[in-house]
Amino acid sequence: MLPAPQSIPIVPRRLLLRALLLLFVYDLRARFSRFETLSGWATPSLQNSQSVSVASLVDAVDLACTWYPKTAPCLQRSAVLARLLRQRGIAAELLIGVQRFPFRSHAWVEVAQRPVNERARVREVYRVLDSWGAA
């Protein structure tokens, strides 16, 4: 049985370009700065709210990752998403967790303690080690 075809989400061009630019910026910052400085970059202070839905920002980052020339790991994707959300006044928190066996690490974003770029039960699989942007 074949999986159902998925449609490409309609994302405003400016959001897509902004997400793609931030993927490049994150790459540069991660290469030339310390890990601790990435948390401040990923979660700037909340700014004025704009009428953009969380889902449209998630779609913009997902679509930008398809155009990005490298594979964007979960931390990069989540850092860019958290930054975009917080720049639009949405209190987003980036979480980093680990799974014990088999050992894996993972990063995702939550808004109001609900994952927005990951399955709803992600906390059942990963134990949270760090969070960026907590109030």
Side-chain angles (χ1 to χ4, degrees):
M1 186 166 135
L2 294 173
Q6 295 182 349
S7 62
I8 298 174
I10 297 173
V11 174
R13 184 173 290 148
R14 65 179 172 73
L15 283 181
L16 176 61
L17 293 175
R18 178 85 173 138
L20 193 55
L21 173 68
L22 288 176
L23 287 169
F24 280 107
V25 170
Y26 175 92
D27 246 353
L28 290 173
R29 290 192 66 100
R31 184 174 304 258
F32 297 111
S33 61
R34 298 178 57 199
F35 182 76
E36 295 84 16
T37 62
L38 288 175
S39 70
W41 179 85
T43 55
S45 58
L46 291 173
Q47 297 176 6
N48 294 336
S49 63
Q50 297 174 5
S51 60
V52 177
S53 72
V54 171
S56 65
L57 290 170
V58 171
D59 288 344
V61 172
D62 287 345
L63 194 55
C65 287
T66 65
W67 289 94
Y68 195 61
K70 296 168 36 177
T71 300
C74 59
L75 181 59
Q76 182 177 11
R77 294 170 75 111
S78 295
V80 168
L81 178 59
R83 183 173 179 87
L84 285 171
L85 288 165
R86 292 181 69 82
Q87 285 177 335
R88 282 151 183 82
I90 300 167
E93 182 177 13
L94 187 151
L95 299 166
I96 301 170
V98 295
Q99 174 181 304
R100 192 173 227 179
F101 186 80
F103 181 78
R104 274 185 230 170
S105 60
H106 189 49
W108 67 95
V109 176
E110 292 185 357
V111 173
Q113 298 181 340
R114 291 192 171 165
V116 294
N117 65 337
E118 186 54 69
R119 62 189 178 273
R121 297 170 47 169
V122 67
R123 283 190 184 229
E124 293 176 18
V125 177
Y126 294 96
R127 179 175 178 231
V128 176
L129 292 181
D130 199 5
S131 63
W132 297 352

